């Protein structure tokens, strides 16, 4: 069993160049877990629904659990995402990302230095970095990030210690000046996503709007229909 998972992993990772693959995956909705906002559903249940709804990139983000609990959940999610060809990113924990052979790791501004993480994980693993200003975006590019998070566009209570909303002008800046895939994030909902799409954003993340929806699959379906090309 383990052997077949490994085989699947290499089939997925070896095919194609990372940048092309990322450009293709980072369009539409980028989903992120958060069990405390999931209305009693587990991260695993939520991920199951995201996969069923056709999501192609999922980040495991969990601030309240032990390392071991997070490792166990990531191991399970790695199996689920491999079986459905979904890209799997682990937030913060480089160790867990490597141990479960995730496709990538996502770093915040206070996490380990990008270039040191790169030494550790190698060239094939995706490194995403949260950025909140033009300077941070440029810094992430220089230091070898593969994609950046751009936000918070609106006020959000989901991320502790996150800065004031940076406004849509920061998104404009990234679209115009930064040559990396990016994901717009922070306070984005079904009701305001049109505004973000209108600025030209091709990839959007919503945390509470998705994981806290009464019917996650239905919510994803409605959000999906708003992306002009109909891709997820
Ligand atoms: N990162 P919601 S804002 C995880 O700006 C995260 O980097 C942000 O949650 C950033 O969609 C954020 O519920 C939380 O507002 C987004």
């Amino acid at each position: 069993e383990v052997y077949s998972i490994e085989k699947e992993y290499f089939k997925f990772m070896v095919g194609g160049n990372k940048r092309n693959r990322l450009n293709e995956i980072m369009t539409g909705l980028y989903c992120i877990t958060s069990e405390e906002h999931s209305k009693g559903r587990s991260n695993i249940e939520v991920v199951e629904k995201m996969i069923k709804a056709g999501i192609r990139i999922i980040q495991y983000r969990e601030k309240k659990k032990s390392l071991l609990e997070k490792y166990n959940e990531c191991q399970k999610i790695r199996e689920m995402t491999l079986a459905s060809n979904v890209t799997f990113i682990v937030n913060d924990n480089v160790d867990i990302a490597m141990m479960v052979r995730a496709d990538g790791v996502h770093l915040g501004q206070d996490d380990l230095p990008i270039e040191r993480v790169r030494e550790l994980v190698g060239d094939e693993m995706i490194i995403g970095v949260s950025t909140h200003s033009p300077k941070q975006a440029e810094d992430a590019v220089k230091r070898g990030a593969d994609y950046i998070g751009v936000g918070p566009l609106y006020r959000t209570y989901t991320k502790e210690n996150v800065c004031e909303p940076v406004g849509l002008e920061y998104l404009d800046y990234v679209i115009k000046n930064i040559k990396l895939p990016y994901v717009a994030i922070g306070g984005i909902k079904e009701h305001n996503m049109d505004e973000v799409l209108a600025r030209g954003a091709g990839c959007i993340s919503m945390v509470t709007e998705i994981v806290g929806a009464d019917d996650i699959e239905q919510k994803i379906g409605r959000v999906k229909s708003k992306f002009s090309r109909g891709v997820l």
Side-chain angles (χ1 to χ4, degrees), residues 39 71 78 84 90 95 99 107 112 128 149 165 170 172 207 216 221:
K39 301 224 171 111
Y71 165 77
R78 174 69 293 189
S84 45
V90 176
D95 43 7
M99 288 163 86
L107 305 173
L112 296 168
Y170 177 45
D172 296 340
V207 183
I216 291 177

Side-chain angles (χ1 to χ4, degrees), residues 61 130 132 151-152 156 158-159 162 185-188 205-208:
R61 185 172 186 276
S130 296
H132 318 291
T156 178
T158 307
K159 187 174 191 168
V162 76
I185 189 167
I188 307 175
S205 187
M206 304 173 192
V207 183
T208 44

Side-chain angles (χ1 to χ4, degrees), residues 106-138:
H106 188 96
L107 305 173
Q109 288 293 320
D110 295 329
D111 287 319
L112 296 168
I114 303 167
E115 50 276 71
R116 298 309 310 276
V117 173
R118 177 65 71 200
E119 285 172 17
L120 211 59
V121 302
D123 285 334
E124 269 304 307
M125 195 181 274
I126 297 163
I127 300 180
V129 179
S130 296
T131 70
H132 318 291
S133 69
K135 187 173 174 301
Q136 289 178 353
E138 269 144 30

Side-chain angles (χ1 to χ4, degrees), residues 6-217:
E6 301 267 303
K7 221 166 58 184
E8 281 300 309
Y9 172 80
F10 285 112
K11 204 169 69 193
F12 181 55
M13 290 304 286
V14 170
N17 132 328
K18 184 171 65 168
R19 179 62 66 83
N20 289 343
R21 207 176 68 231
L22 253 186
N23 276 328
E24 184 203 311
I25 293 163
M26 291 198 59
T27 52
L29 189 61
Y30 177 130
C31 274
I32 302 180
T33 66
S34 182
E35 200 166 271
E36 63 178 311
H37 300 103
S38 297
K39 301 224 171 111
R41 293 166 295 212
S42 70
N43 283 325
I44 303 296
E45 282 173 85
V46 167
V47 165
E48 217 161 49
K49 290 178 194 300
M50 289 168 174
I51 291 174
K52 257 198 192 151
I55 291 296
R56 292 175 309 164
I57 181 162
I58 297 175
Q59 180 189 129
Y60 178 82
R61 185 172 186 276
E62 176 55 64
K63 303 283 185 184
K64 307 269 166 172
K65 297 193 180 186
S66 72
L67 203 52
L68 180 60
E69 283 173 305
K70 292 198 281 185
Y71 165 77
N72 285 329
E73 289 191 351
C74 284
Q75 186 71 25
K76 175 82 186 125
I77 294 170
R78 174 69 293 189
E79 287 172 24
M80 294 158 74
T81 49
L82 271 183
S84 45
N85 207 19
V86 171
T87 297
F88 179 41
I89 309 284
V90 176
N91 186 260
D92 294 344
N93 289 101
V94 182
D95 43 7
I96 295 177
M98 291 177 80
M99 288 163 86
V100 306
R101 294 177 181 274
D103 298 296
V105 63
H106 188 96
L107 305 173
Q109 288 293 320
D110 295 329
D111 287 319
L112 296 168
I114 303 167
E115 50 276 71
R116 298 309 310 276
V117 173
R118 177 65 71 200
E119 285 172 17
L120 211 59
V121 302
D123 285 334
E124 269 304 307
M125 195 181 274
I126 297 163
I127 300 180
V129 179
S130 296
T131 70
H132 318 291
S133 69
K135 187 173 174 301
Q136 289 178 353
E138 269 144 30
D139 189 57
V141 173
K142 268 190 229 134
R143 299 169 70 182
D146 293 302
Y147 78 85
I148 58 170
V150 176
L153 296 188
Y154 305 98
R155 184 156 305 281
T156 178
Y157 302 95
T158 307
K159 187 174 191 168
E160 281 168 32
N161 304 323
V162 76
C163 54
E164 289 289 299
V166 291
L168 292 163
E169 294 72 28
Y170 177 45
L171 175 63
D172 296 340
Y173 176 88
V174 169
I175 292 175
K176 191 157 172 248
N177 300 292
I178 302 291
K179 301 281 170 270
L180 278 187
Y182 62 87
V183 52
I185 189 167
I188 307 175
K189 314 276 178 197
E190 187 183 352
H191 71 78
N192 63 8
M193 69 176 283
D194 285 344
E195 206 175 29
V196 183
L197 290 174
R199 305 299 267 237
C203 185
I204 292 178
S205 187
M206 304 173 192
V207 183
T208 44
E209 183 72 349
I210 301 295
V211 304
D214 290 332
D215 186 326
I216 291 177
E217 287 168 72

